[in-house]
Amino acid sequence: MGSLYRSEEMSLVNIYLQSEAAFTCVSELGEIGLIQFNDLNESVNSFQRKFVSEVRRCDEMERKLRFMEKEMKKDSIMEDYHKNVNPLAPGMKEMNELEAKLEKFETDMKEVNKNQEKLKKNYLELTELKHILRKAQVFFEETAHLSDQQHHQEVDEDRQSLLASEYSSVHTINTLSFVAGVIQIEKMANFEKVLWRSCRGNVFLRFAEIDATFNDPDTGDAMKKNVFVIFYQGDQLKQRVKSICEGFHASLYPCPETSPERREIAIGVMTRIEDLQTVLNRTEEHRRMILTQIAADIRKWFIMVGKMKAIYHTLNKFNVNMADKCLIGEGWCAVKHIDEIRYTLRRATEMSGSSVPSILQKLKTKETPPTFHQTNNFTQSFQTIIDAYGIASYREINPTPFTIVTFPFLFAVMFGDVGHGLIMFIFGLFLVWKEKEFLQEKGSNEIWQMVFGGRYLILMMGFFSMYTGFLYNECFAISLNVFGSAWDVSKIRDVNNTLRYEKEIELDPWHNGEVFRSVGVYPNDSGVPYLYGMDPIWQSAENKITFQNSYKMKSSIILGMAQMLFGLILAYRNHKFFNDRLALYCEWIPQMIFIWCIVGYLCFLIILKWTTIKDPNAAPSLLIGLINMFMFTPSPDGLYLFNGQNTFQHFLVIVAFLMVPWMLFAKPYILYRRHIQRKQNGGEYHSVSVNVDDTALDMLNQDDRSTASTDSNDSATVDKEEFNFGEVMIYQIIHTIEYCLNCISHTASYLRLWALSLAHSELSEVLWKMVMNIGLTAFPNTFMGGVMTFAIFWFFASLTVGILLLMEGLSAFLHALRLHWVEFQVKFYKGQGEPFQPFSFEQIFLNAEESN
């Protein structure tokens, strides 16, 4: 269990590095990830630190790499990006070479992009001009045809105004000027309205949609455009028309008036388009060639630049000794890793060619060290649950080793079903089996990452759900007769003899009956109950829910008492480890007595009632008995589980009440007496703080715990503030009231185990009877029945997965989480520590990927 039970013993160290070896030493320390550096320059502005220029260079190189990555994504060139490489951080010479290489690639890419953008704009303009010439030819041919038809028609001079009608305007079309261009199809409606209103109807507009789709050279977005020709008369309208076209970002192109000129220009445009397409293709090939070269090494470059930046950020935390030309760093590391860190420093110094060795020196301090728990793939998900509540205080007991068993077990108590547990177990087993593949993929779906991160937790919850389901004898709400029922119901078939005068038969385990298979009365003479778990006969019993209610409710209270008692035992282990005798005698002992007098006595009554009462109708009510116990009233019906129970209950209540002033006044009084004694001794004044654990933690930082004084080991801690008896008393009142109330409320909280277990069982039974049972009973022994069963099965499976596995599973998970955080951990776990965050390249890149 090692450091998972208690955090690793930490030590504060100083590191002395020569300037020429500092980069290599920090780089090697980042590879092993065993030391957390403290910032010794907190008062210095970030822009005034020694290595700020190197950090800026790294930022600039990262910018260039992101630019290249963006260009690669545009062309879908990502073949080698996820290459599994881990290069070392480059030295200064390699850094300069890499910087020059990235500068060259960026310059080439910008030049290629600039030329390509210019070529694309020219290609777009030529393509638009080609369509203008083609559409304009059609416009003018239609105009000439209409002009010939109107030549022989008489038109009133009153109706000869410009653009009064399309046909009248065609007669004078040759005397008008025109402009031609293209505009986005989305702007065409507004463009036409503005043109008509601004020119007061004195223009003639013809337009047609271009079949081809254009790509914006700046954004690359696809767009549709229209060709338009506007006929007008006069310079004033000409300026107005051009202004409107500019306002709508319409592109205007020169268009000759005669057909031969248009054909000649069109031929030249087609030739230029073909030549330009060839140049564009070669430019694209050159661009892809550059990006392919970049793609081969961009992952390696990202890692190298990231490591350099992290190293210089870390070096900025060091103090610089200009006289000795060395850097002085400070940090935390595990005591067991000091030798490995020293070896790494020695090897890095040799690699750098420095003649002066690097030095690591342990320091004595009263600062509280960070908390470091070593985990693996299996324990990480359970440790994450604990860390979500709070990081363990330094060297206090970590609940994770116990949570590995208790969390999936309490979940399974609420989720007990062999079938549902098997599905969950297979899903968790699949995630574990494909673990390496999923870790390499590193998907971006946050929900999937959360589910995959808890794969071992899902596996354990599925396993324990099968165990409790086997105990409940439930598999998709159906009981399994694995060992053979203890009840022989074969005589029920003989209706004439067995059920002639009776509508119901009671299965009484204490008395022989027509349907009980035994030699004598169970359990005295027979010994033939169901081997393990609940007898399957309960599936057919009318009082199944009544029996399960009583059984599961009382079992929940016993389980709750067991876990809370275990939490208090762990609290005792903490007090003994920190040698906190004041908390042990003034808090833990009265707390243990108090909970035993109330909750422990209730559990005793439950077990006693299970083992001694034969007739349930003659058994006293435990709830009424508990109320009478606190009211000091005898049982109204005179029923007791043992002789002298009423007197014994009065004694327990009195003892429990006496524990309250013990918890409330003993500790503040002792702290106050110690404070008075120190003042009378005339020694240096040290005050006492309320926090129970801080001084004990300080004591652990000393090299020899056995030499610590008794006063420094108590929950009293040395502080710079004066002792305030009022604050201590208020703190103790709050915690005493909280504990006394929690003994009752936390016990009641464990009844959620019974409630959710019953709800899960009944919901499973409803789904089976109301869904699956219909398919099995409808049209028996027919083809139609088989088809109906097949269809209903998938509906039943969907509801089972969606409701029972996902919704009910999530509900049981949250309730199990609450039972651990509130009812269990509050008994012994402070969770006020700081996490150990070592300088590790692996963790830095992992955090960067998660943030992206």
Side-chain angles (χ1 to χ4, degrees):
M1 198 173 289
S3 65
L4 198 61
Y5 177 68
R6 292 191 190 274
S7 60
E8 291 285 354
E9 186 177 356
M10 307 297 288
S11 175
L12 185 66
V13 296
N14 264 357
I15 299 178
Y16 299 87
L17 306 176
Q18 291 301 308
S19 300
E20 62 272 14
F23 184 90
T24 306
C25 290
V26 175
S27 174
E28 291 299 315
L29 291 176
E31 295 292 344
I32 61 175
L34 297 178
I35 185 169
Q36 171 184 316
F37 288 102
N38 297 333
D39 191 356
L40 301 179
N41 301 311
E42 291 182 346
S43 59
V44 180
N45 190 288
S46 300
F47 300 101
Q48 297 177 344
R49 302 197 180 192
K50 180 176 177 59
F51 299 97
V52 64
S53 59
E54 286 79 1
V55 173
R56 288 177 177 174
R57 289 176 64 185
C58 294
D59 287 335
E60 181 65 17
M61 285 190 284
E62 278 190 341
R63 183 196 62 79
K64 295 174 182 178
L65 288 171
R66 287 194 298 268
F67 166 73
M68 297 174 193
E69 182 184 27
K70 182 180 178 181
E71 296 299 317
M72 288 167 55
K73 289 181 179 179
K74 286 182 180 179
D75 287 16
S76 302
I77 303 177
M78 302 295 292
E79 292 84 356
D80 299 329
Y81 180 74
H82 294 291
K83 218 171 181 180
N84 189 16
V85 293
N86 186 26
L88 297 176
M92 185 57 65
K93 181 180 179 181
E94 291 83 359
M95 180 180 179
N96 294 334
E97 293 176 355
L98 178 59
E99 189 175 22
K101 186 183 294 185
L102 296 180
E103 180 68 27
K104 179 180 180 301
F105 276 123
E106 184 190 31
T107 303
D108 292 345
M109 283 304 305
K110 288 184 175 180
E111 185 177 354
V112 169
N113 289 345
K114 182 179 179 181
N115 294 336
Q116 190 179 40
E117 183 179 350
K118 186 177 181 181
L119 290 172
K120 285 183 177 180
K121 286 183 177 181
N122 292 338
Y123 183 81
L124 178 63
E125 292 174 356
L126 291 175
T127 305
E128 291 176 348
L129 180 57
K130 178 187 72 173
H131 287 286
I132 288 175
L133 295 173
R134 184 179 300 169
K135 297 294 183 180
Q137 184 68 21
V138 176
F139 292 159
F140 284 107
E141 288 177 356
E142 292 176 354
T143 302
H145 178 68
L146 292 175
S147 179
D148 291 340
Q149 290 181 353
Q150 287 295 108
H151 181 68
H152 303 286
Q153 296 180 5
E154 295 182 359
V155 182
D156 294 338
E157 293 184 358
D158 296 338
R159 302 175 60 189
Q160 281 281 326
S161 62
L162 180 63
L163 299 180
S165 68
E166 184 176 345
Y167 297 104
S168 61
S169 63
V170 173
H171 183 68
T172 57
I173 199 73
N174 293 329
T175 63
L176 301 178
S177 301
F178 68 90
V179 292
V182 294
I183 189 172
Q184 293 185 19
I185 196 170
E186 295 85 1
K187 301 179 181 179
M188 191 65 218
N190 292 332
F191 177 68
E192 187 176 5
K193 290 179 183 178
V194 173
L195 189 65
W196 177 263
R197 293 175 181 176
S198 299
C199 299
R200 301 185 180 182
N202 293 317
V203 294
F204 177 57
L205 172 66
R206 294 296 303 273
F207 63 89
E209 182 179 348
I210 302 176
D211 297 332
T213 302
F214 298 91
N215 291 326
D216 192 328
D218 296 327
T219 63
D221 298 334
M223 54 185 176
K224 299 285 289 185
K225 291 190 175 184
N226 280 351
V227 170
F228 65 86
V229 178
I230 304 174
F231 297 93
Y232 60 88
Q233 191 174 33
D235 294 337
Q236 186 175 3
L237 282 178
K238 177 182 178 181
Q239 295 299 327
R240 188 174 298 175
V241 168
K242 288 187 175 180
S243 298
I244 295 173
C245 292
E246 291 177 0
F248 281 87
H249 299 286
S251 301
L252 301 180
Y253 294 93
C255 182
E257 296 182 1
T258 63
S259 178
E261 292 178 348
R262 287 195 293 271
R263 288 192 182 94
E264 183 179 356
I265 293 179
I267 294 172
V269 168
M270 294 298 297
T271 304
R272 291 177 59 190
I273 287 177
E274 292 176 358
D275 296 340
L276 196 57
Q277 184 64 52
T278 303
V279 176
L280 274 172
N281 292 338
R282 292 181 179 177
T283 304
E284 183 65 25
E285 291 176 0
H286 180 61
R287 171 187 167 86
R288 291 187 67 86
M289 182 184 67
I290 296 176
L291 290 176
T292 303
Q293 294 177 0
I294 295 173
D297 296 318
I298 189 170
R299 178 63 178 170
K300 180 176 68 176
W301 294 339
F302 263 115
I303 295 175
M304 293 169 66
V305 174
K307 287 185 177 182
M308 286 190 295
K309 184 177 178 181
I311 291 171
Y312 286 120
H313 266 302
T314 303
L315 288 175
N316 277 332
K317 298 179 179 180
F318 283 52
N319 276 336
V320 181
N321 190 329
M322 301 303 296
D324 299 331
K325 295 182 180 181
C326 72
L327 300 176
I328 305 173
E330 181 184 275
W332 295 99
C333 68
V335 173
K336 70 177 185 179
H337 292 153
I338 289 180
D339 292 338
E340 184 177 354
I341 294 174
R342 281 175 174 158
Y343 170 76
T344 302
L345 290 174
R346 184 167 61 251
R347 180 166 54 87
T349 304
E350 295 173 357
M351 292 170 56
S352 66
S354 175
S355 58
V356 180
S358 300
I359 300 174
L360 184 143
Q361 179 183 6
K362 292 177 63 176
L363 299 177
K364 291 185 178 181
T365 179
K366 290 188 176 181
E367 296 181 17
T368 303
T371 301
F372 175 38
H373 295 292
Q374 282 190 322
T375 59
N376 51 34
N377 290 337
F378 176 73
T379 58
Q380 180 58 45
S381 57
F382 297 94
Q383 185 65 53
T384 302
I385 292 176
I386 303 303
D387 291 344
Y389 174 84
I391 305 298
S393 299
Y394 178 64
R395 299 291 283 165
E396 78 168 336
I397 292 178
N398 182 23
T400 299
F402 318 107
T403 304
I404 294 174
V405 176
T406 59
F407 188 93
F409 175 73
L410 291 184
F411 170 87
V413 171
M414 297 178 280
F415 197 76
D417 189 285
V418 176
H420 301 154
L422 180 62
I423 296 175
M424 185 175 291
F425 179 80
I426 292 175
F427 178 66
L429 191 64
F430 170 76
L431 295 180
V432 173
W433 180 42
K434 296 288 186 178
E435 179 178 353
K436 293 183 179 179
E437 297 180 15
F438 290 137
L439 285 175
Q440 291 176 356
E441 290 180 4
K442 295 180 180 179
S444 57
N445 191 307
E446 186 175 353
I447 296 179
W448 166 250
Q449 290 296 324
M450 181 175 59
V451 172
F452 177 71
R455 56 195 177 276
Y456 290 100
L457 179 60
I458 295 174
L459 184 72
M460 294 290 289
M461 291 192 302
F463 173 77
F464 277 93
S465 296
M466 289 191 293
Y467 166 73
T468 54
F470 194 53
L471 181 65
Y472 297 157
N473 202 350
E474 291 186 8
C475 181
F476 298 110
I478 302 173
S479 294
L480 304 176
N481 193 6
V482 179
F483 304 108
S485 174
W487 306 92
D488 185 3
V489 296
S490 60
K491 292 186 179 181
I492 292 180
R493 299 173 186 171
D494 187 2
V495 179
N496 293 329
N497 296 326
T498 307
L499 299 179
R500 175 179 293 181
Y501 303 106
E502 299 182 15
K503 294 183 180 180
E504 295 181 351
I505 291 182
E506 181 178 356
L507 307 183
D508 188 354
W510 291 96
H511 301 89
N512 282 331
E514 295 290 338
V515 292
F516 182 60
R517 184 191 70 199
S518 67
V519 177
V521 177
Y522 167 78
N524 299 330
D525 302 326
S526 64
V528 290
Y530 194 68
L531 184 62
Y532 182 80
M534 290 190 181
D535 196 299
I537 195 66
W538 282 107
Q539 188 69 23
S540 304
E542 290 186 359
N543 61 338
K544 170 189 172 184
I545 297 180
T546 304
F547 166 73
Q548 288 186 347
N549 268 341
S550 176
Y551 170 75
K552 293 182 178 180
M553 179 173 61
K554 294 179 175 63
S555 299
S556 299
I557 295 176
I558 295 175
L559 289 175
M561 174 59 184
Q563 189 174 36
M564 291 190 294
L565 183 63
F566 182 63
L568 286 175
I569 293 174
L570 295 180
Y572 170 80
R573 297 290 301 167
N574 272 335
H575 295 326
K576 291 293 291 182
F577 181 81
F578 295 122
N579 199 17
D580 193 355
R581 294 183 296 175
L582 186 59
L584 179 62
Y585 294 124
C586 298
E587 291 181 345
W588 186 85
I589 291 179
Q591 287 176 357
M592 181 65 77
I593 297 175
F594 186 88
I595 196 172
W596 268 112
C597 288
I598 299 176
V599 185
Y601 176 66
L602 178 61
C603 295
F604 166 74
L605 293 180
I606 291 173
I607 298 174
L608 186 64
K609 184 176 179 179
W610 275 346
T611 55
T612 59
I613 299 298
K614 298 181 180 181
D615 185 4
N617 297 323
S621 172
L622 296 182
L623 179 60
I624 299 300
L626 195 64
I627 296 175
N628 293 333
M629 172 180 171
F630 285 96
M631 298 295 295
F632 288 92
T633 57
S635 176
D637 51 12
L639 295 177
Y640 292 101
L641 291 175
F642 59 91
N643 296 328
Q645 179 180 350
N646 192 35
T647 305
F648 184 67
Q649 290 178 164
H650 294 168
F651 170 73
L652 292 180
V653 173
I654 294 174
V655 172
F657 283 158
L658 289 177
M659 296 303 104
V660 177
W662 188 352
M663 289 185 283
L664 183 61
F665 298 111
K667 182 177 176 180
Y669 175 76
I670 294 176
L671 293 177
Y672 176 73
R673 292 297 303 171
R674 288 182 179 178
H675 166 67
I676 296 299
Q677 186 175 5
R678 288 192 185 98
K679 293 182 66 176
Q680 291 176 351
N681 292 338
E684 183 181 358
Y685 176 77
H686 295 290
S687 65
V688 184
S689 174
V690 179
N691 196 330
V692 179
D693 297 316
D694 294 342
T695 297
L697 297 178
D698 292 341
M699 174 269 297
L700 289 175
N701 293 325
Q702 302 174 9
D703 292 333
D704 188 3
R705 289 179 52 209
S706 60
T707 60
S709 63
T710 302
D711 290 341
S712 65
N713 292 335
D714 289 334
S715 55
T717 61
V718 176
D719 195 18
K720 294 182 179 180
E721 299 179 0
E722 287 194 6
F723 175 80
N724 190 324
F725 181 77
E727 291 183 1
V728 175
M729 196 65 204
I730 292 174
Y731 175 88
Q732 200 67 20
I733 291 173
I734 292 174
H735 280 264
T736 301
I737 296 175
E738 180 185 23
Y739 179 81
C740 295
L741 295 179
N742 285 347
C743 283
I744 307 299
S745 62
H746 288 179
T747 304
S749 181
Y750 277 95
L751 292 176
R752 70 185 69 238
L753 298 174
W754 152 60
L756 267 75
S757 174
L758 186 64
H760 184 81
S761 176
E762 291 305 306
L763 191 56
S764 301
E765 187 173 351
V766 168
L767 278 183
W768 178 264
K769 290 183 177 180
M770 302 299 293
V771 180
M772 195 62 201
N773 193 49
I774 296 176
L776 296 174
T777 56
F779 307 104
N781 302 323
T782 62
F783 175 77
M784 185 62 186
V787 174
M788 191 172 181
T789 301
F790 179 79
I792 290 180
F793 168 77
W794 291 109
F795 181 64
F796 169 77
S798 301
L799 292 178
T800 299
V801 173
I803 297 178
L804 292 178
L805 288 179
L806 295 181
M807 295 178 61
E808 281 282 318
L810 181 60
S811 175
F813 176 87
L814 294 176
H815 282 284
L817 191 65
R818 183 246 155 73
L819 289 177
H820 279 78
W821 280 358
V822 179
E823 278 72 27
F824 174 55
Q825 292 178 189
V826 74
K827 300 293 187 298
F828 68 97
Y829 186 65
K830 301 298 181 182
Q832 298 175 349
E834 294 293 332
F836 177 64
Q837 297 175 333
F839 173 62
S840 170
F841 292 139
E842 180 181 0
Q843 190 62 39
I844 290 173
F845 291 126
L846 182 61
N847 294 338
E849 289 180 1
E850 291 178 354
S851 62
N852 291 334

